Amino acid sequence: LSAEGKHRLVLSEVTPLLSVPSEASLSPAVDDVSVSAARLSVRSGGSCQAAALPAGVSLEPSSCRGLRRLSGDGLHLRMRLRRPPPAADLGFTLRESLKPQKNYVLYCQSCGDIIVKDRKFRRVLPLPSENWSALVEEWCCHPNPFARSTLHPQHDDCFLGDTFFVLNSGNESHKSKENTRVICKRCKTMLGETVSSDTIKYYVTEVIIQPSEGSFSATPRSHFLQSTVAQCLLELSSAKSTFRFTIKGDDGKIYILVWLLNSDTLLVESLGSFSSHSVFTLFGDIFMPSSGPVGTWDAVKVLYQPCVRSRNKDLADAWENDIGVHPLKFPSETCLELLLILGLSTASLPPSLRCVNSFQVRNSCY
């Protein structure tokens, strides 16, 4: 429950932590905290304020423990949570949605301009990891047989990477004459980069692929970005058993270190009955569409370290040389956007929950 106006329940699968507002909207004397399966109530003086849980989510009152009051946070307590099991498949949606022998349209995510119209893919194939060539050299006792080979798609191919997909450029004209950056003709957003004279790599954070029979549906940029990155982390952690990531820009610099803590976080935001004239939500007006009195989102919990302006350089260098850390590459502007979203999310948490050791905490919905 947030400390200002709207209340936020940050719930994990086993032991949710609830932070009840005190300084912002409750009097110093709290007479009673009442917990039922469907709601939490706080009685102070002659008033009683409550926050309800969404349908399908309930608490176990008998498991309530650790009730305490922290300066600047409010009341904290822990208890077990009951909720329907999440969907079994939380994989990266792009891999699941792209099918061969279907027509697709590519849109710029920022402005909705059509980038590629009515492209039918005969083959949709996953690419090996970016360091596959180095791995071949480690495994082969003779010179790398693929050293002079490149994976370039034909006109009707779509190759999928971790954070991008590769297409034959065909007659598309979004290339910048100054460099290899591929930009949107309408809003000038960087969409990807040229791999060769006839091959373009588009980043999944910048482009939306939809079937030709569908229509473009605008999604707030911050919501789309955090959802795309969160699903990417989920898939890679499941497929490769890796939980540490470096977020790199197209300029080769590391912008963020990310440590995936868990993927079973449930965020619940309840309007409840607390009153406040200054309401700051986890996502802000542009981050998440209004969902009524109670909103629920599945989320991943990550720890992160910013690396801009040479911050955490030694740690970044150590992670870059660690085989257990997976690099993720995005446009540099997108890395800065992501860092801003991380910072806003951390600032919205109660002070006592913002850091774990030297890392900052962030919940990212998907």
Side-chain angles (χ1 to χ4, degrees):
L1 304 179
S2 82
E4 298 183 44
K6 291 186 178 181
H7 335 314
R8 187 168 306 110
L9 287 73
V10 182
L11 309 178
S12 65
E13 287 296 311
V14 181
T15 309
L17 171 67
L18 297 88
S19 177
V20 185
S22 60
E23 279 81 7
S25 53
L26 294 179
S27 62
V30 176
D31 299 326
D32 181 68
V33 177
S34 176
V35 179
S36 67
R39 60 191 287 132
L40 181 143
S41 304
V42 177
R43 188 178 300 278
S44 177
S47 63
C48 180
Q49 296 126 347
L53 293 173
V57 178
S58 62
L59 302 172
E60 294 186 19
S62 61
S63 66
C64 180
R65 60 183 176 82
L67 178 62
R68 56 178 179 158
R69 180 171 182 157
L70 297 179
S71 177
D73 279 12
L75 299 179
H76 283 225
L77 61 134
R78 295 180 180 271
M79 68 189 70
R80 284 193 294 271
L81 164 72
R82 290 179 178 175
R83 62 167 296 194
D89 183 12
L90 296 175
F92 198 32
T93 56
L94 179 64
R95 296 182 184 272
E96 298 299 324
S97 60
L98 277 178
K99 304 295 181 183
Q101 306 303 326
K102 285 191 174 183
N103 290 339
Y104 292 93
V105 177
L106 276 64
Y107 300 90
C108 170
Q109 196 280 325
S110 297
C111 69
D113 191 32
I114 294 178
I115 302 167
V116 178
K117 187 175 183 180
D118 290 332
R119 177 73 68 88
K120 179 184 286 188
F121 301 121
R122 183 175 62 87
R123 299 186 303 173
V124 179
L125 303 173
L127 284 168
S129 60
E130 292 190 13
N131 59 345
W132 71 274
S133 183
L135 293 177
V136 170
E137 293 180 354
E138 294 293 333
W139 282 93
C140 289
C141 59
H142 50 79
N144 184 353
F146 307 106
R148 297 184 179 180
S149 302
T150 54
L151 299 175
H152 288 174
Q154 301 300 313
H155 180 72
D156 51 2
D157 290 341
C158 178
F159 293 169
L160 301 177
D162 292 336
T163 62
F164 60 88
F165 55 94
V166 181
L167 304 179
N168 187 284
S169 58
N171 297 323
E172 310 306 328
S173 58
H174 290 266
K175 299 179 185 178
S176 170
K177 295 180 180 180
E178 291 77 16
N179 50 44
T180 61
R181 292 163 64 94
V182 178
I183 60 175
C184 174
K185 290 185 293 185
R186 178 190 289 176
C187 68
K188 308 305 179 184
T189 296
M190 179 184 175
L191 305 174
E193 55 192 75
T194 57
V195 178
S196 68
S197 60
D198 61 352
T199 304
I200 294 181
K201 175 169 69 176
Y202 292 103
Y203 289 103
V204 296
T205 53
E206 315 306 318
V207 175
I208 293 178
I209 301 182
Q210 291 186 344
S212 297
E213 60 271 17
S215 59
F216 178 78
S217 178
T219 303
R221 173 64 180 167
S222 297
H223 182 202
F224 176 83
L225 180 56
Q226 67 172 324
S227 175
T228 301
V229 174
Q231 291 186 46
C232 185
L233 297 179
L234 278 176
E235 185 196 28
L236 290 171
S237 64
S238 176
K240 302 183 178 183
S241 296
T242 182
F243 303 96
R244 291 183 296 160
F245 305 87
T246 56
I247 306 298
K248 284 188 171 183
D250 62 286
D251 55 5
K253 297 179 181 179
I254 296 179
Y255 283 76
I256 316 171
L257 306 178
V258 175
W259 196 325
L260 179 61
L261 196 60
N262 66 50
S263 58
D264 58 3
T265 297
L266 175 68
L267 295 181
V268 179
E269 188 171 73
S270 170
L271 290 176
S273 59
F274 294 107
S275 60
S276 173
H277 297 291
S278 176
V279 176
F280 176 75
T281 66
L282 176 61
F283 305 100
D285 294 336
I286 63 171
F287 283 6
M288 187 67 66
S290 175
S291 57
V294 180
T296 306
W297 302 275
D298 289 306
V300 298
K301 183 181 290 294
V302 301
L303 307 180
Y304 71 96
Q305 287 277 23
C307 297
V308 293
R309 298 180 180 177
S310 299
R311 292 181 61 184
N312 301 301
K313 186 179 185 304
D314 292 342
L315 183 59
D317 291 341
W319 278 37
E320 190 170 24
N321 296 321
D322 191 331
I323 194 173
V325 178
H326 192 82
L328 298 177
K329 183 180 177 182
F330 301 104
S332 300
E333 296 87 347
T334 299
C335 295
L336 293 175
E337 285 184 86
L338 184 60
L339 187 56
L340 175 61
I341 293 173
L342 291 171
L344 289 174
S345 174
T346 299
S348 73
L349 295 173
S352 64
L353 303 179
R354 294 176 185 174
C355 294
V356 174
N357 295 331
S358 61
F359 282 82
Q360 300 180 64
V361 180
R362 155 78 163 129
N363 297 299
S364 184
C365 295
Y366 54 90

